[in-house]
Amino acid sequence: DAGVIQSPRHEVTEMGQEVTLRCKPISGHDYLFWYRQTMMRGLELLIYFNNNVPIDDSGMPEDRFSAKMPNASFSTLKIQPSEPRDSAVYFCASSFRLYTDTQYFGPGTRLTVL
Amino acid sequence: GIQVEQSPPDLILQEGANSTLRCNFSDSVNNLQWFHQNPWGQLINLFYIPSGTKQNGRLSATTVATERYSLLYISSSQTTDSGVYFCAVTSGSRLTFGEGTQLTVNP
């Protein structure tokens, strides 16, 4: 398996634009996680899915953020409209089970909102 | 919410030295994990360890849940161990990360 794949690796956009981040988890993993990392707030769990269903989205910062998982091999994290404070590295991770098995992380998407 | 404190914030070692990283948490937790982020930003999940001791090669971790702390031991450190080590705890359904320990291993 190629591991967790994220795209794009880098995204630069202007304030107010829509941003879509993409993630392909490892095949067979039932759990998918979206994290955000900033200097100010450190690492945060935004949302996680189990079998394509969002289970806990309490970490999603506000309504401008939305995440979907239309099938077992694809998830998106969308920000609309984007703001400069959304600039961060966004990681996707997947695992077989919740918090008992190793989570495998993608390389991250570095988002810059101007 | 639960507080997670890691110490030391920074640690510099010579290759071959041993080290202990500490994670204190303020409340009961369902589980605890250790992560390593290398200097290129890649995150690796090292251990899931809500209690007891686990070992993986030169790394081992011990969590004493009743006393609300966990320790990560790195033996015979190598330059590839450099990076930031994060502790993360789950209390209820929330996952909370510590601020990390920045480890630098010099050749």
Side-chain angles (χ1 to χ4, degrees):
Chain A
D1 203 309
V4 176
I5 299 172
Q6 291 187 247
S7 65
R9 294 292 306 275
H10 302 272
E11 176 82 24
V12 180
T13 190
E14 292 189 347
M15 183 174 62
Q17 296 298 305
E18 178 179 294
V19 175
T20 300
L21 311 181
R22 297 172 176 81
C23 175
K24 176 178 168 55
I26 292 173
S27 177
H29 282 186
D30 291 332
Y31 287 86
L32 183 140
F33 308 82
W34 282 101
Y35 295 88
R36 177 173 70 174
Q37 186 175 32
T38 62
M39 289 295 292
M40 290 295 294
R41 299 177 65 89
L43 269 165
E44 304 170 279
L45 174 64
L46 300 179
I47 185 172
Y48 74 88
F49 295 82
N50 175 216
N51 293 324
N52 315 336
V53 177
I55 301 300
D56 184 353
D57 65 355
S58 57
M60 296 285 266
E62 50 196 275
D63 292 345
R64 297 184 298 105
F65 286 69
S66 62
K68 295 182 179 180
M69 193 165 186
N71 57 62
S73 59
F74 184 65
S75 177
T76 60
L77 178 67
K78 185 175 293 187
I79 309 172
Q80 166 63 16
S82 57
E83 297 182 2
R85 60 194 168 119
D86 302 331
S87 297
V89 180
Y90 292 82
F91 290 99
C92 175
S94 70
S95 67
F96 280 116
R97 289 178 290 189
L98 180 64
Y99 298 146
T100 58
D101 285 328
T102 300
Q103 292 182 45
Y104 293 88
F105 284 79
T109 294
R110 181 173 295 278
L111 173 65
T112 302
V113 183
L114 303 175
Chain B
I2 192 168
Q3 304 298 310
V4 181
E5 294 183 359
Q6 292 187 242
S7 60
D10 298 280
L11 184 60
I12 300 174
L13 302 173
Q14 287 299 121
E15 204 166 25
N18 302 327
S19 62
T20 300
L21 282 57
R22 188 177 181 100
C23 173
N24 292 333
F25 41 97
S26 61
D27 204 347
S28 301
V29 298
N30 305 117
N31 71 70
L32 184 143
Q33 303 175 77
W34 284 96
F35 298 83
H36 175 225
Q37 187 168 36
N38 69 21
W40 297 271
Q42 180 66 39
L43 275 163
I44 297 171
N45 189 198
L46 298 174
F47 291 105
Y48 158 76
I49 183 163
S51 63
T53 297
K54 288 187 178 179
Q55 181 151 8
N56 184 1
R58 295 181 296 102
L59 272 61
S60 65
T62 295
T63 297
V64 184
T66 54
E67 297 187 19
R68 300 180 183 170
Y69 73 89
S70 183
L71 302 174
L72 179 68
Y73 304 97
I74 304 174
S75 64
S76 303
S77 58
Q78 301 176 359
T79 56
T80 52
D81 296 330
S82 295
V84 183
Y85 289 81
F86 293 100
C87 164
V89 302
T90 301
S91 180
S93 62
R94 288 300 297 147
L95 180 68
T96 302
F97 284 84
E99 294 189 352
T101 292
Q102 174 80 54
L103 175 65
T104 303
V105 181
N106 292 319

